Amino acid sequence: MSDRPRALLADPGFAAMGVSVVELAPPGERHTVLCADVWTTEPSDKKLRVLAASDDNRRARELSRRLLDLTAQWGPRVFLVEAKSMPRNASSSCKVGQALGVLACVAEAHRVPLSDVSPGEVRRNLGLVKNASKEDVFQVVRAGYRDGHLIDEVLLAHVPRGRRHHAHDSLAVLLACEAHDVVRVLRG
C-alpha cells in the first residue's frame, strides 16, 4: 500500500450515505479510489412504537460505528463532505444534519480536518449545469479517477444501481475540492 495521504469522502444521509476513501495523487495525476460504498440505515418497524428521536439516535450510532471502523482501517488525513442543502423537508434536513454531526464527531475524534462543499459548488466546480443529472455527475467522476471505469463494475457492484449515485456524489466532492487549501497541502 502506498504512503500517499488518503481522504474520506461522504455524501451524508440516514437512508443512504455515500462513502469513499481515496488515495490523493500528486498534482497533475488522477486520484485512486480505494473503497466506495453506500451505507443504509433502516427506521424501526412502526409496530415497535419506537420514538422517532430514539430511532434517529440508533441510526446515528450505526453510522458512527461504521465511520470509526472505516477511519481506523484507512487512516484518512482529511474528511471531505457534501454540505447540507436546505430545500428538503424538515425531517430529511434533520437527518442529514445528524449524519453531518456524526461525520464531524468522528473526524474530531481522530483529529482529522473536515471540509465541506455545497451541492451547487460541486456542480459548478465540475463544470456541470445546476440541474445536471446523476449520470452527468458519474461521467465526470469516472473520468476524474484512475481506473474510473472500475468504480461501478467492481467497487460498487454490490450496491443496487438506484443507490450508487450516493457513492458517485461522495467521489465528486474531492474533485470539487481540489483547490481547497487542505487538499492542496496533502497532495504536495
Side-chain angles (χ1 to χ4, degrees):
M1 192 175 318
S2 167
D3 63 346
R4 295 285 316 154
R6 296 180 194 101
L8 187 147
L9 315 173
D11 174 30
F14 264 15
M17 179 184 281
V19 293
S20 306
V21 176
V22 171
E23 183 178 274
L24 299 175
E29 296 181 27
R30 290 190 295 170
H31 310 293
T32 302
V33 181
L34 301 174
C35 72
D37 204 350
V38 177
W39 297 341
T40 60
T41 65
E42 299 297 329
S44 294
D45 190 322
K46 292 193 186 297
K47 293 177 188 176
L48 297 176
R49 296 184 179 190
V50 174
L51 293 174
S54 297
D55 199 39
D56 288 349
N57 289 334
R58 176 193 54 82
R59 294 170 80 183
R61 288 191 310 273
E62 280 181 37
L63 292 175
S64 179
R65 282 190 295 275
R66 294 185 85 173
L67 280 165
L68 286 165
D69 290 346
L70 191 69
T71 302
Q73 178 182 358
W74 293 103
R77 302 267 308 277
V78 64
F79 281 30
L80 302 171
V81 303
E82 187 172 88
K84 65 182 174 228
S85 58
M86 297 313 282
R88 298 185 175 144
N89 66 47
S91 177
S92 293
S93 292
C94 179
K95 289 175 175 120
V96 169
Q98 280 188 277
L100 283 164
V102 167
L103 284 156
C105 285
V106 172
E108 182 61 24
H110 286 273
R111 299 286 190 239
V112 174
L114 182 146
S115 186
D116 62 4
V117 59
S118 73
E121 189 179 353
V122 169
R123 292 202 167 24
R124 274 192 308 279
N125 289 356
L126 298 182
L128 297 170
V129 295
K130 183 177 181 178
N131 59 347
S133 71
K134 301 291 184 191
E135 182 61 27
D136 293 337
V137 173
F138 176 59
Q139 291 307 320
V140 172
V141 164
R142 184 178 170 148
Y145 285 93
R146 185 182 324 141
D147 298 325
H149 63 284
L150 298 176
I151 293 169
D152 268 14
E153 297 167 16
V154 176
L155 294 172
L156 293 173
H158 65 286
V159 176
R161 287 196 185 280
R163 291 191 182 246
R164 291 180 185 176
H165 66 90
H166 296 289
H168 301 158
D169 287 350
S170 74
L171 290 163
V173 169
L174 172 58
L175 299 177
C177 287
E178 288 189 321
H180 287 204
D181 288 343
V182 67
V183 175
R184 288 178 36 237
V185 166
L186 289 172
R187 291 186 77 185

